[in-house]
Amino acid sequence: MHALTIAPFTVPEHWLITPASHFVDRFVPDCEQILLPAKQVEGGTLTLSRGPLPAPVPASRTARLLKRAKSEPAPKGDVIDLRRDAPQNWAHFLNNHLPLIFKICELMEIDPAEVTLLVPQNTPAYIKAAADLLGITLLASDAHFQGEGLLYDLTPWTGLRPERHLWVDSDVVRNRTRTVARNTRPDGILLPQKAFLSRRDTRTLENETEVSDWLRTKGFVKLYVEDLSAADQFRLFNTAHEIVAIHGASLAPLLYTHANTRPKRLIELMPCGHMTDVYRVMAAQLGIGWTGVRGRIKPNYVTPAYDLSQPFLSQSLDSFSIDIAALSRAFDLAPALTDRAR
């Protein structure tokens, strides 16, 4: 049995810029510059053991009633069951599950390349591509595997946030991602040094053309990361000097950047319906200057936002609009570069 206590991490102050409004002055509208205070990100406890692999838990009660997982012998060698906490999500896999795997392997003194990771049957191909780039073996299946494996408990699940940047800071991980970052694209096309990462389908910008046109005057190139291969997404974050991005999974490869090639500045466009500090924390840990630009508040957001008895979650995927005055203000502010945390 191994047990690791994860210490908290203190995030420094950062700026969040709001759209111009009359909340500042009833006659002369202006943007608010909110100084987000330093805050502590709480850690947790990671415990490891060896034992029988657990039966997978179907995603819904209906699935549990209608389908029983078939039983198969476990793969040879060390096996870790990752079929919980949504490893099918690009950001969850890169920013939670993979760092956890690298730490588990370090503590157990085993090579990550020799471990088989169990993931759900519906795990997307781009997750498998990212694993291949990092030399990780995935087995996508909903079967119940009979045999022993490495068992873990992370309490709370978010408790890895203070240290996950350190868990991927090893020779094994850095050498693999460095090789990917240095290799040129097969088509020879260079990735931009100033990138604007927009979104399709959900959490879209209602005034994307206006924002994109304004950023183009500053030398930014608009990209949709779903148009890039997994390798190119790793390359992009080790190529771009500045990134403007809508909050979302497109920022996940930020964790795997290298000290001498990672972006110097990140401006994150935050929809009011989904305010979170995930990448603010990560930027601070990596020494990247971060500024947030919040979108316009919609009328139906006001009442639930002031209900402090429950989280404000229902508007997470809403489209939103960004005020160019607020975006301009974010560029005028000198980013507060932070020393990389250790």
Side-chain angles (χ1 to χ4, degrees), residues 28-268:
V28 183
D30 199 1
C31 301
E32 296 172 85
Q33 291 186 196
I34 301 173
L35 183 60
L36 300 175
K39 63 176 290 185
Q40 186 166 274
V41 180
E42 296 300 330
T45 303
L46 172 64
T47 57
L48 306 173
S49 61
R50 291 184 182 272
L53 290 165
V57 179
S60 67
R61 182 175 181 274
T62 301
R64 289 196 293 272
L65 293 173
L66 296 179
K67 179 181 178 182
R68 295 191 176 204
K70 62 181 180 178
S71 182
E72 295 182 5
K76 294 181 179 180
D78 288 309
V79 180
I80 303 177
D81 194 335
L82 288 184
R83 294 176 293 183
R84 53 179 164 151
D85 302 300
Q88 309 97 311
N89 178 284
W90 177 250
H92 292 189
F93 183 72
L94 290 185
N95 294 161
N96 297 330
H97 295 81
L98 270 187
L100 177 62
I101 290 304
F102 292 129
K103 189 60 179 180
I104 290 173
C105 290
E106 176 192 327
L107 293 172
M108 302 298 287
E109 298 182 342
I110 56 180
D111 185 348
E114 297 178 357
V115 177
T116 299
L117 306 182
L118 304 181
V119 294
Q121 181 70 51
N122 63 349
T123 297
Y126 53 80
I127 298 290
K128 299 173 185 176
D132 288 342
L133 288 172
L134 296 170
I136 300 296
T137 300
L138 299 185
L139 175 55
S141 173
D142 292 333
H144 179 196
F145 290 93
Q146 301 286 344
E148 295 230 330
L150 291 172
L151 310 180
Y152 67 89
D153 179 72
L154 178 61
T155 305
W157 175 244
T158 55
L160 83 173
R161 290 179 65 194
E163 291 191 2
R164 60 185 170 187
H165 64 295
L166 303 179
W167 296 357
V168 300
D169 191 13
S170 67
D171 290 341
V172 171
V173 182
R174 294 300 177 193
N175 287 341
R176 292 185 188 280
T177 55
R178 187 177 291 112
T179 299
V180 174
R182 285 178 176 172
N183 288 345
T184 56
R185 289 177 51 158
D187 57 14
I189 297 175
L190 297 177
L191 293 166
Q193 293 188 346
K194 293 184 176 185
F196 166 40
L197 307 184
S198 194
R199 284 176 63 106
R200 298 190 181 106
D201 300 328
T202 60
R203 210 175 294 143
T204 56
L205 270 182
E206 294 169 353
N207 61 332
E208 183 193 59
T209 299
E210 179 187 22
V211 171
S212 180
D213 287 348
W214 188 88
L215 286 170
R216 190 181 302 114
T217 67
K218 290 190 169 290
F220 282 77
V221 175
K222 182 174 71 175
L223 298 172
Y224 298 101
V225 294
E226 57 265 40
D227 294 338
L228 302 177
S229 67
D232 273 351
Q233 292 187 50
F234 281 99
R235 290 189 187 104
L236 174 65
F237 282 85
N238 284 284
T239 298
H241 297 162
E242 295 183 72
I243 291 177
V244 176
I246 298 173
H247 169 80
S250 67
L251 288 168
L254 193 69
L255 187 66
Y256 296 85
T257 53
H258 301 276
N260 59 341
T261 57
R262 65 174 53 108
K264 302 299 185 229
R265 186 202 322 229
L266 168 62
I267 294 178
E268 190 172 0

Side-chain angles (χ1 to χ4, degrees), residues 15-21 24 28-35 214-215 218 244 265 267 269 290-294 322-336:
W15 287 111
L16 176 68
I17 315 301
T18 76
S21 72
V24 176
V28 183
D30 199 1
C31 301
E32 296 172 85
Q33 291 186 196
I34 301 173
L35 183 60
W214 188 88
L215 286 170
K218 290 190 169 290
V244 176
R265 186 202 322 229
I267 294 178
L269 308 184
W290 181 94
T291 306
V293 178
R294 196 176 70 191
I322 286 291
D323 181 9
I324 297 299
L327 185 56
S328 178
R329 185 77 60 89
F331 272 89
D332 291 341
L333 289 172

